[in-house]
Amino acid sequence: MSETPRLVGRRAWRPHWPVNSTRVFKRRRWPGTKRSMLKLSGRYNPKTLRREMVLTDKKPLFWSVGLLALLLLPLGIASERFFTMFGIICIYAAINVMWTLIIGTAGLQSFATLATVGVGAYGAGYLSVTYAIPWPLMLLVGAVLGGLMGWIISLPARRLDGLYYALLTLGLSEFMRNFVTQSDELGGKFNGALFGVGRIIPSDLLTTRLGQSLLYLTAFIALLIALAVYRWVNGGRTGILLRAAATSKEDEAFASALGIDFNKERTRVFIIASAMLGFLGAFYATYIGGTSLQLFSLELLLLLLAMIVIGGLGRAEGAVVGTVIVVGITQWFTDWGPWRIVLVGVLALASVLFTRNGLFGLKAQIEEIRDRRKALYRAGITSRYAEFLPQQAPEIHDKSAIVGRVFERSLRDRLRSWISPELIAEHEAKPLGQHSDRLERMLNYFRKAPIPDKYVVYCEVPFESYRVVALSGLPGVPPRIVDDKKYASLDEAYHAVFLRRVNDLRAH
Amino acid sequence: MIEVVISALVLASMYGLIAIGISLTWASIGMLNLAQGFIFTAGGYTAWLYAQYAEGWGLEGVGLSAGVLIFGMLGSALAGLFVGAIAFLPLQDRDNFRTRSLIATLAISLIGTQIWLILFGPQNKPLPPVFGEGRIEIGPAGMSYQQLGTIIVASVMLALVILWMRSSRRGLQMRAMMMDPLGAAVVGVSVRSTGMRVLAISGALTGLSSVLLAQVFFVSPTSGVQPLTTGLIISLAGGLGSIPGTVAAAGLIGLAEALTARYLQQSLVPFVLFAIVVLILIFRPRGLGGLLEDVRE
Amino acid sequence: MAILEIEGLSAGYGPVRVLHDLSLTIEPGERLGLVGLNGHGKTTFLSAIVGLTGWQDGSVLFRGEQIGGRRTHGMGRKTPQIVRRGIALAPQGDAIFPGLSVRENLDSGAYTGATWRSRRKRRERILEVFPPLAPLLGQTAGTLSGGERRMVSVGRALMSDASLYLVDEPSLGLAPKISLNLVAALLEIDLGDGAMIIAEQNLPLIEGRVDSVLGMHAGDLKLDVGEALGDVPPAAGVHL
């Protein structure tokens, strides 16, 4: 996703550095595709006359570095603590990315995330414990259950206002928790926990460092799958159009004008995301070898919310970074006890109070504040810019037109202030000939006016009848008759034209 | 059957108070206060603290009970003002107020639970029985003093609030603000001070509910979660912003819960409630009393 | 002391500037008519006095106290405080409370403790000014007709002890006979020490019955009312 150019403000700066290469137009691409790697491209700099490389978009670079760090850090350090922490980061980040898909692209304010994850986890876990199904089937079952749950939950979404829907889904988690606690097969015996769920990495391997590394690898791959799904949905035609429609504040007519059935596509995205959430739930069950009621707890849901709020709502990078921050705090400072969560809550509160959209919205927020201040300042200084709105100035390609308009306005203002009965009487006395300075300037201005709609004298009968007409300015189009008055002398006609021009000057 | 009705009324009284608080806050300042759980628990702990001190001084009987009730309401009212100072005042005239205040109240909820944990520990704290231990027989059935007291106190409180809203100057201003914020501004009604007042009142109602509920359960850091959810569901079903609708929904939900607990299983209660609410929302997407919403918009 | 002293008032919404450097003084007992076409800043002018614009700059002195000043955001934040100093505004579009009864709507105008206690007397005084409201006291305001709504809105503004009454387009959307009666009633009210500004598009309604008339054109105040209303009069002494 490259950055959209802003109309007001400075030109975007892209990092570039000179290289010693003679190939100008070749660039590395992913084999078989036309995509360049990391959005690097080579170009020829006309100023320095050197070949250089330009990074047209910093995002792929950041993503690559970030994901690489996420992969290598725990594998490199290989301590139990790191594996736990980063494993949780991967899983929660995947959940949050899917949640971002629901909130950002589908535009549904749903709190049913954990409920869906739990359905996948408990469903697949139960089947594994009771029927010992292999883990690929578990993951599939999770996805199917998740998609089904998503379909069920999406039904009320059409009828309900966004806020009502958020509340309904909030209550859903609570009820799921109640259901699981009450039901014996699903773990009522152990207070909601299931044990003995099949795992991807065989249990005897897990005590070794290799096993731990492999386990972490599976979590990382789950995250990659989630990100891939996000990219696929978000970057595809549906995602782009849905997001474009969302900018007009839920105007469905606008969305259907864009060519998609808004509700159907929204529901589709929601179901896909829910299926992924179910998949992640089943994966979670295999990851820890069981399930627990904690999945339905309000506290975990609020923590996930804090993660996406701190990172920035609606962006995948916000979801991942927010998860890293929050899980980092909760897992690292374990000896703080409940103060860890207080810190997370305070950060989330600060994000929502002071920032417009979390960490990744900061840049846009600062720019917006700056642009707004500029616009206010421009509006407030003088009425010089009253010829056009300040935002239009950068859009007008020919800047001299702006100067021209300003000059015209001030000129007309000055001439207007010279209009007086004495001036008019002076012209009536002697339309042609030498005039006072002011009258002369005014007449010069009038006579330099462009042809379209210019008042002129029309001679009907020489020395007897004259009229005032207005030229059209178009070839082949006759002038229009302004009124039905006929003037006996040319001087009267000249004066009439002058009066009309003066009137027009006064009016505008 | 009578027991079911009594049970329903008791449940409706307890949860309805919270629901009305949520509804009022939404209608007057457009903020969905999901920190009600935090406010709920605040009242419970304040009442418990009072009970500790009062029993230490040997206070008993009516003095103890009245104090427990009053301090419960006071504690929650203060918590409500606190929530307002953080989630309402700073965000009130900025854009996206609805979503941002929602998230802010959720954050407060998150922090609050931990604070209670830190301050009071995870153990359940009981409250002294406010209404005494006896029973009273009415016709074929009997109810405990606690049940009777709950219904009476909740109804009286609700009636007082409604009366105040309808006849006092501040109440009129509050209702006016619900309908037209510009009109309210030109008659000198400040959204900020009225909003804080509303939060204090809805807090007091929640605090009362907390004390009443603590007669049956306990006060603990997470004791506010389930009442919040139920209160939320009731105000959803009743229509956010409609007091009559919320009262009706409270009655309905109370009845449903009582019936389910008696004739089916306690474990099925969440399902039945959820199903009822979804049904109501399918046929009336704005809840039972959705008319006020239309007027507001 | 002048009731209202405005100097260098500019105001607007976002990047758009509506008022350009206005200056005006209003003395006690004065009734001022403000005429101009739609969109030229009459409503913005009245809003700027009570702080309901997006941003504003310039000094607004109400009875010697500064209620204006430079403000870049926070539309309407200070309005309740400003209104409580003694300014009553009947906004364009009425802004009455549709779910409340007419009586309650009027009562909401008596917002201070003292005025609230004497609200019945004040209500009766309003009913003398607008007799058609008398049988409607118990009716829900949302069900009233346009003229009745306007009367409620103006009546509400008159319920308080204001020193400055701002009435925005009293005749907007009303049938000629109703607006005639309404504006006549408005113009007959005894102002005492106070002042009134009526923003009106229909010049004949107020011409001659207010103390002075100003034109508003493109955010500038003009003495030549005709120009503000769009008739461009011919230059003096000449006939075309």
Side-chain angles (χ1 to χ4, degrees):
Chain A
M1 247 185 355
S2 63
E3 299 170 11
T4 49
R6 272 179 300 125
L7 291 176
V8 182
R10 302 185 292 233
R11 198 166 147 199
W13 175 84
R14 311 230 138 79
H16 56 89
W17 55 94
V19 292
N20 289 322
S21 165
T22 47
R23 305 181 306 169
V24 179
F25 297 110
K26 291 225 178 95
R27 60 178 108 149
R28 291 228 177 85
R29 296 173 200 269
W30 291 107
T33 69
K34 289 216 173 122
R35 272 177 193 275
S36 62
M37 296 192 182
L38 288 188
K39 297 266 178 148
L40 286 170
S41 65
R43 71 165 186 204
Y44 184 71
N45 188 327
K47 272 199 196 159
T48 62
L49 296 185
R50 293 201 60 184
R51 167 90 162 83
E52 63 183 18
M53 293 289 278
V54 159
L55 186 65
T56 48
D57 192 3
K58 288 183 268 212
K59 272 203 188 164
L61 187 64
F62 285 153
W63 270 113
S64 312
V65 168
L67 286 175
L68 213 63
L70 209 57
L71 175 68
L72 294 179
L73 214 57
L75 288 181
I77 300 186
S79 77
E80 174 107 23
R81 200 174 180 194
F82 263 71
F83 277 128
T84 323
M85 181 161 76
F86 277 81
I88 295 182
I89 288 181
C90 285
I91 297 181
Y92 285 171
I95 296 179
N96 282 329
V97 165
M98 287 300 110
W99 200 5
T100 307
L101 193 62
I102 293 178
I103 297 185
T105 313
L108 284 167
Q109 299 170 31
S110 151
F111 280 100
T113 330
L114 277 186
T116 320
V117 169
V119 159
Y122 272 93
Y126 171 69
L127 287 180
S128 165
V129 166
T130 327
Y131 301 115
I133 58 176
W135 64 262
L137 196 58
M138 274 180 72
L139 296 178
L140 190 64
V141 164
V144 166
L145 285 176
L148 206 64
M149 173 101 170
W151 180 74
I152 295 178
I153 306 179
S154 69
L155 291 175
R158 260 174 234 225
R159 301 263 307 179
L160 292 180
D161 183 25
L163 202 66
Y164 284 78
Y165 188 67
L167 296 182
L168 198 66
T169 49
L170 200 63
L172 187 69
S173 276
E174 261 301 295
F175 288 114
M176 298 292 301
R177 189 169 63 81
N178 261 303
F179 176 64
V180 169
T181 331
Q182 309 285 354
S183 144
D184 280 331
E185 312 95 38
L186 284 187
K189 289 187 281 243
F190 300 111
N191 199 28
L194 273 180
F195 294 108
V197 175
R199 308 175 81 140
I200 300 181
I201 317 290
S203 320
D204 40 336
L205 200 58
L206 274 177
T207 46
T208 68
R209 185 175 143 168
L210 175 66
Q212 291 279 336
S213 307
L214 284 177
L215 188 66
Y216 176 70
L217 210 58
T218 57
F220 185 73
I221 291 176
L223 175 61
L224 284 184
I225 295 177
L227 285 173
V229 169
Y230 180 84
R231 179 78 160 94
W232 170 58
V233 173
N234 214 28
R237 178 170 171 267
T238 318
I240 294 179
L241 289 178
L242 275 177
R243 277 180 296 134
T247 58
S248 73
K249 305 272 184 238
E250 298 158 2
D251 191 0
E252 295 184 24
F254 179 56
S256 56
L258 286 174
I260 50 171
D261 181 352
F262 191 65
N263 272 319
K264 198 166 71 141
E265 295 297 333
R266 243 173 147 198
T267 317
R268 236 189 82 210
V269 170
F270 186 66
I271 293 180
I272 293 176
S274 302
M276 259 312 286
L277 283 174
F279 171 86
L280 287 169
F283 174 76
Y284 174 74
T286 70
Y287 188 79
I288 63 172
T291 59
S292 82
L293 263 190
Q294 198 217 9
L295 273 181
F296 292 124
S297 71
L298 186 65
E299 182 178 300
L300 184 61
L301 185 61
L302 292 184
L303 274 178
L304 287 183
L305 180 69
M307 292 176 207
I308 58 176
V309 163
I310 293 175
L313 282 171
R315 308 172 76 135
E317 52 267 27
V320 174
V321 170
T323 312
V324 170
I325 294 177
V326 172
V327 176
I329 292 177
T330 50
Q331 293 291 318
W332 196 252
F333 302 112
T334 40
D335 38 329
W336 285 11
W339 287 105
R340 296 172 290 163
I341 306 192
V342 171
L343 178 60
V344 169
V346 165
L347 280 178
L349 202 57
S351 287
V352 88
L353 284 180
F354 301 122
T355 72
R356 192 153 289 195
N357 202 8
L359 265 182
F360 281 91
L362 276 180
K363 185 161 151 230
Q365 186 177 357
I366 295 176
E367 283 167 3
E368 208 179 314
I369 293 179
R370 203 184 48 204
D371 287 344
R372 195 160 25 107
R373 283 230 182 99
K374 265 199 218 157
L376 279 179
Y377 171 70
R378 282 187 198 147
I381 36 175
T382 61
S383 49
R384 263 189 79 205
Y385 289 105
E387 302 84 26
F388 48 82
L389 291 179
Q391 312 126 306
Q392 286 175 345
E395 291 176 26
I396 301 175
H397 288 290
D398 182 15
K399 303 299 182 205
S400 61
I402 303 175
V403 180
R405 283 206 227 178
V406 174
F407 177 73
E408 270 280 327
R409 188 172 205 249
S410 66
L411 180 60
R412 291 180 76 97
D413 283 341
R414 190 139 52 97
L415 291 177
R416 202 176 297 134
S417 69
W418 291 346
I419 299 174
S420 70
E422 294 84 17
L423 194 82
I424 297 179
E426 186 190 337
H427 186 269
E428 188 175 10
K430 196 163 57 156
L432 298 178
Q434 205 174 31
H435 301 113
S436 68
D437 177 61
R438 292 193 167 183
L439 181 58
E440 195 63 44
R441 286 181 191 273
M442 196 176 290
L443 288 174
N444 280 340
Y445 176 73
F446 288 150
R447 288 163 184 168
K448 277 197 299 186
I451 299 279
D453 250 359
K454 195 171 185 184
Y455 296 115
V456 295
V457 176
Y458 170 63
C459 171
E460 269 186 325
V461 178
F463 302 107
E464 280 179 28
S465 173
Y466 300 92
R467 302 178 73 164
V468 175
V469 300
L471 295 175
S472 68
L474 301 165
V477 178
R480 66 180 168 89
I481 303 181
V482 170
D483 61 18
D484 55 352
K485 292 215 175 74
K486 300 190 202 232
Y487 303 97
S489 81
L490 199 50
D491 277 355
E492 279 177 37
Y494 281 149
H495 188 63
V497 167
F498 178 72
L499 283 180
R500 284 215 166 259
R501 289 173 176 169
V502 164
N503 258 345
D504 280 354
L505 179 63
R506 285 178 73 146
H508 304 289
Chain B
M1 186 59 197
I2 295 284
E3 295 116 38
V4 171
V5 171
I6 295 174
S7 211
L9 283 176
V10 170
L11 288 167
S13 308
M14 295 194 290
Y15 293 120
L17 286 172
I18 308 180
I20 288 180
I22 297 179
S23 237
L24 258 183
T25 321
W26 165 249
S28 57
I29 52 182
M31 169 166 128
L32 204 58
N33 187 1
L34 291 183
Q36 288 284 20
F38 164 73
I39 297 176
F40 181 93
T41 323
Y45 276 121
T46 316
W48 179 79
L49 278 175
Y50 168 78
Q52 300 291 98
Y53 280 116
E55 273 165 0
W57 292 332
L59 201 59
E60 276 192 346
V62 178
L64 181 65
S65 306
V68 164
L69 282 172
I70 291 177
F71 270 84
M73 291 204 281
L74 209 63
S76 282
L78 283 174
L81 287 175
F82 175 73
V83 170
I86 297 189
F88 169 61
L89 289 181
L91 295 172
Q92 170 247 338
D93 49 3
R94 311 232 293 249
D95 63 325
N96 233 347
F97 167 61
R98 251 164 63 160
T99 318
R100 287 171 93 177
S101 63
L102 186 85
I103 300 177
T105 51
L106 286 175
I108 293 177
S109 194
L110 187 64
I111 300 175
T113 320
Q114 303 305 313
I115 297 284
W116 298 134
L117 201 61
I118 296 174
L119 286 177
F120 295 102
Q123 302 88 1
N124 292 335
K125 310 259 189 266
L127 282 187
V130 169
F131 299 111
E133 304 272 347
R135 281 185 70 85
I136 178 173
E137 305 291 327
I138 300 183
M143 59 168 97
S144 67
Y145 278 171
Q146 179 261 327
Q147 287 173 315
L148 185 66
T150 304
I151 300 176
I152 292 182
V153 168
S155 314
V156 163
M157 203 64 221
L158 186 62
L160 279 176
V161 168
I162 293 181
L163 200 69
W164 179 82
M165 293 253 299
R166 288 215 167 274
S167 63
S168 80
R169 176 166 55 116
R170 297 287 182 205
L172 180 65
Q173 290 180 344
M174 213 176 276
R175 283 188 296 144
M177 200 168 70
M178 292 190 209
M179 294 180 192
D180 194 321
L182 170 63
V186 299
V187 288
V189 175
S190 149
V191 175
R192 293 163 84 86
S193 50
T194 311
M196 295 300 271
R197 234 172 253 134
V198 168
L199 281 167
I201 292 177
S202 84
L205 289 174
T206 310
L208 182 62
S209 166
S210 176
V211 171
L212 293 176
L213 258 169
Q215 304 290 299
V216 184
F217 300 109
F218 296 98
V219 183
S220 78
T222 50
S223 60
V225 173
Q226 188 257 333
L228 168 66
T229 321
T230 316
L232 216 54
I233 293 291
I234 294 180
S235 52
L236 253 189
L240 289 171
S242 156
I243 306 243
T246 312
V247 170
L252 199 65
I253 299 280
L255 194 64
E257 180 162 344
L259 281 172
T260 315
R262 173 87 167 81
Y263 293 116
L264 299 171
Q265 275 181 290
Q266 178 68 34
S267 58
L268 286 180
V269 165
F271 276 113
V272 174
L273 294 190
F274 209 68
I276 290 183
V277 170
V278 169
L279 267 170
I280 294 179
L281 287 176
I282 287 180
F283 291 110
R284 292 268 258 163
R286 292 280 179 84
L288 290 175
L291 292 169
L292 190 63
E293 277 278 303
D294 294 323
V295 168
R296 181 188 172 87
E297 261 138 52
Chain C
M1 174 166 51
I3 297 257
L4 197 63
E5 262 179 71
I6 299 181
E7 209 170 303
L9 178 68
S10 302
Y13 303 93
V16 180
R17 183 182 184 172
V18 181
L19 303 177
H20 300 278
D21 265 332
L22 303 181
S23 299
L24 179 64
T25 310
I26 300 187
E27 302 293 336
E30 185 179 334
R31 247 184 270 258
L32 173 71
L34 193 64
V35 291
L37 297 172
N38 265 340
H40 282 255
K42 299 194 303 295
T43 303
T44 310
F45 178 64
L46 295 183
S47 302
I49 296 177
V50 290
L52 278 171
T53 52
W55 58 266
Q56 62 188 83
D57 195 1
S59 139
V60 179
L61 289 172
F62 176 65
R63 295 217 280 203
E65 284 168 21
Q66 176 69 255
I67 57 173
R70 185 172 170 79
R71 179 173 60 80
T72 50
H73 58 272
M75 172 160 128
R77 204 185 254 222
K78 293 230 191 95
T79 306
Q81 285 106 295
I82 297 177
V83 163
R84 277 171 185 268
R85 288 187 199 229
I87 302 183
L89 169 68
Q92 194 175 33
D94 303 328
I96 60 174
F97 307 116
L100 302 179
S101 69
V102 170
R103 181 185 293 115
E104 286 175 320
N105 265 280
L106 291 177
D107 284 346
S108 66
Y111 50 80
T112 60
T115 48
W116 178 262
R117 284 186 281 276
S118 58
R119 64 188 188 276
R120 169 168 289 183
K121 218 172 21 155
R122 290 168 184 272
R123 235 187 293 141
E124 271 152 30
R125 218 184 41 187
I126 304 291
L127 291 180
E128 281 168 31
V129 177
F130 296 122
L133 283 182
L136 299 170
L137 273 183
Q139 196 169 327
T140 314
T143 58
L144 297 176
S145 75
E148 289 157 354
R149 260 188 239 217
R150 194 59 47 76
M151 284 192 271
V152 171
S153 173
V154 176
R156 179 181 65 186
L158 295 173
M159 282 284 281
S160 59
D161 284 330
S163 314
L164 177 63
Y165 294 99
L166 307 172
V167 186
D168 199 348
E169 303 250 15
S171 73
L172 186 69
L174 300 185
K177 183 150 168 248
I178 302 178
S179 56
L180 206 69
N181 291 336
L182 191 92
V183 177
L186 205 59
L187 293 172
E188 275 158 19
I189 293 171
D190 176 24
L191 282 176
D193 239 355
M196 185 186 284
I197 304 182
I198 305 181
E200 181 52 66
Q201 205 177 338
N202 194 350
L203 179 59
L205 268 182
I206 58 175
E207 196 169 26
R209 299 154 81 187
V210 291
D211 298 316
S212 52
V213 177
L214 280 180
M216 177 84 87
H217 182 75
D220 284 311
L221 287 174
K222 299 203 186 293
L223 281 173
D224 186 349
V225 176
E227 185 174 337
L229 287 177
D231 326 319
V232 185
V238 182
H239 18 260
L240 281 176

